[in-house]
Amino acid sequence: MKAVLALEDGTIFEGRSFTGEGEALAEVCFNTSMTGYQEILTDPSYKLQMVAMTYPLIGNYGTCPEDMESGRVHVEAFIVKEYQPYFSNWRGRASLVDFLKQYGVLGVEGIDTRRLTRKLRIYGAMKGLISTRCEDPEAMVQKAREWPGLDEIDCVPMVTCGQAYRWEGGPGQEVDLAQGDALWQKKSQFKVAAFDYGIKYNILRHLERIGAEVIVLPAKATAEEVLRLNPDGIFLSNGPGDPSLVTYGVETIKDLIGQKPIFGICLGHQLLGKALGGTTYKLKFGHRGGNQPVKDLTTGRVEITAQNHGYCVDLETLDQDAVELTHVNLNDNTLEGFRHRSLPLFCVQYHPENSPGPHDATYLFDRFAELMTRER
């Protein structure tokens, strides 16, 4: 079935749907990972985005329940050069096409993903409409242009949990935050309150690995509710969209700074930067993939990291006397991590939970454990 992608600049791409009829209006971006498409599809940080994979053959190992990073697919549409319908892997339980159909997400192959990626790299991320209805191309372009875009839509309420819950190897029992620290049940090494701005399951698994009992909080949970829990540490998760629109998160974090140890990842890093007086800006085409080089300035080591973000904290807007740069992207020298010189908080822009991606940065969860131990 024919499918057409129209970008806001007027460029038209033709391909074929391998999931049947469908349409999506979203920001178009690309991911350079060679594997991990299921983790990418279920990452809430991709809300209101359609993803083009630069690796040309996708679908060859199928999908399995263990590789879910949330409860559903969040990518609005999935674009590949060639789809492989016959998967072969001992872990595989279902084909990619069946997986996408289960969540009603359009999958398109046959588009020149190399040309599309080059255009996005040169001109930046763009709004786009992809459809099997094959309307008048000019009308499709106009529709893409009229869509508000991520700069105007707060995506976090679309992906956060509706009610606080326990993490028990998976989403567990919902809890009432009014009960405060009586909610903690286990004799765990640490008690962690984790804000869900679009949290990924493997982050929660790593918090479990360091000995933490975790209660996951909705994005709009208040500082009072968090402090009533009396956790050993506070985690700020990844999530989608422009951090400038998540004003409620910034205000809550301001009230929590200095109260408890804080660790932020991705959107959590950006919100923490804004809470400390910094500003954020949109990257030209973002960092998305499992092969991004980052230097840890505290050790001198270079890590290959997994990343998925389109916005960045401007280091020049942070108080350099209070904040220390800890990580830098070696491709474009953008800020990838910082810590406070006197308060117990640190954060990184990339994804140390390695799902998908390399395991180079999992030590950051151990740093969080050390910080919580020291601050008790």
Side-chain angles (χ1 to χ4, degrees):
M1 178 180 295
K2 182 179 178 181
V4 173
L5 168 63
L7 300 181
E8 62 177 303
D9 73 342
T11 306
I12 302 295
F13 294 84
E14 292 189 359
R16 302 175 299 278
S17 168
F18 60 87
T19 55
E21 294 183 357
E23 182 173 295
L25 187 59
E27 182 176 272
V28 186
C29 61
F30 61 88
N31 188 296
T32 59
S33 296
M34 297 176 69
T35 61
Y37 51 79
Q38 185 178 349
E39 294 92 330
I40 292 165
L41 289 166
T42 56
D43 181 352
S45 297
Y46 280 113
K47 190 65 183 174
L48 295 188
Q49 292 181 310
M50 63 180 82
V51 178
M53 300 297 292
T54 60
Y55 191 72
L57 184 66
I58 299 295
N60 51 315
Y61 58 83
T63 63
C64 67
E66 294 78 15
D67 289 346
M68 296 290 287
E69 281 301 311
S70 67
R72 58 162 292 112
V73 172
H74 292 280
V75 168
E76 304 297 333
F78 197 44
I79 302 169
V80 301
K81 175 62 177 174
E82 180 182 350
Y83 168 61
Q84 171 51 260
Y86 305 107
F87 69 92
S88 177
N89 186 276
W90 67 274
R91 297 174 69 246
R93 295 293 181 271
S95 67
L96 175 58
V97 65
D98 289 340
F99 182 71
L100 290 174
K101 284 182 175 180
Q102 178 183 349
Y103 296 101
V105 174
L106 179 64
V108 174
E109 67 171 337
I111 281 179
D112 187 343
T113 52
R114 184 166 185 242
R115 176 177 167 234
L116 174 59
T117 300
R118 284 174 59 85
K119 173 166 281 290
L120 297 178
R121 279 181 55 88
I122 293 170
Y123 299 105
M126 296 186 194
K127 297 182 286 187
L129 172 65
I130 192 166
S131 177
T132 58
R133 297 170 191 163
C134 304
E135 308 170 21
D136 171 39
E138 291 187 8
M140 292 182 67
V141 170
Q142 186 61 31
K143 199 170 180 179
R145 289 173 179 165
E146 292 172 354
W147 182 62
L150 295 182
D151 296 341
E152 299 182 34
I153 302 173
D154 179 11
C155 307
V156 170
M158 303 176 187
V159 298
T160 189
C161 57
Q163 176 74 29
Y165 65 89
R166 302 182 194 284
W167 176 259
E168 300 170 318
Q173 177 188 9
E174 291 187 348
V175 297
D176 181 3
L177 293 178
Q179 296 180 42
D181 61 2
L183 289 173
W184 303 107
Q185 295 181 339
K186 303 175 184 177
K187 293 183 179 179
S188 302
Q189 190 172 357
F190 307 107
K191 298 177 293 185
V192 173
F195 275 91
D196 176 13
Y197 302 121
I199 201 164
K200 295 171 67 180
Y201 286 170
N202 218 42
I203 288 174
L204 295 165
R205 296 183 190 111
H206 275 287
L207 291 173
E208 265 188 326
R209 176 184 63 79
I210 62 172
E213 178 182 359
V214 183
I215 292 179
V216 181
L217 311 175
K220 293 187 179 181
T222 66
E224 291 75 18
E225 288 173 320
V226 176
L227 295 175
R228 199 180 299 132
L229 288 170
N230 192 28
D232 296 308
I234 299 167
F235 178 78
L236 310 174
S237 84
N238 62 290
D242 186 346
S244 297
L245 302 177
V246 193
T247 53
Y248 47 89
V250 174
E251 293 306 312
T252 299
I253 293 167
K254 284 180 180 178
D255 292 337
L256 293 171
I257 288 174
Q259 304 274 4
K260 298 286 182 178
I262 298 176
F263 175 27
I265 287 177
C266 196
L267 180 62
H269 157 94
Q270 297 162 7
L271 297 180
L272 191 52
K274 292 184 74 66
L276 290 168
T279 62
T280 54
Y281 61 93
K282 189 169 186 176
L283 295 167
K284 187 175 181 180
F285 50 81
H287 300 154
R288 299 179 180 90
N291 49 8
Q292 300 278 335
V294 168
K295 186 172 184 178
D296 182 345
L297 300 179
T298 67
T299 64
R301 297 186 63 179
V302 175
E303 307 158 15
I304 302 302
T305 69
Q307 303 202 13
N308 172 21
H309 63 102
Y311 295 83
C312 186
V313 176
D314 184 353
L315 177 65
E316 300 303 317
T317 63
L318 294 173
D319 181 356
Q320 303 288 316
D321 293 329
V323 173
E324 176 188 4
L325 170 67
T326 58
H327 295 79
V328 64
N329 188 297
L330 295 181
N331 282 336
D332 59 10
N333 293 314
T334 53
L335 175 65
E336 291 282 3
F338 66 82
R339 65 185 177 191
H340 202 278
R341 297 184 187 273
S342 59
L343 299 175
L345 65 85
F346 73 103
C347 55
V348 291
Q349 178 62 78
Y350 54 96
H351 284 270
E353 77 279 359
N354 62 68
S355 190
H359 295 207
D360 297 25
T362 55
Y363 68 88
L364 289 164
F365 291 94
D366 299 299
R367 283 191 183 178
F368 188 36
E370 294 166 4
L371 184 61
M372 288 188 288
T373 299
R374 188 170 71 242
E375 292 296 319
R376 275 177 169 166

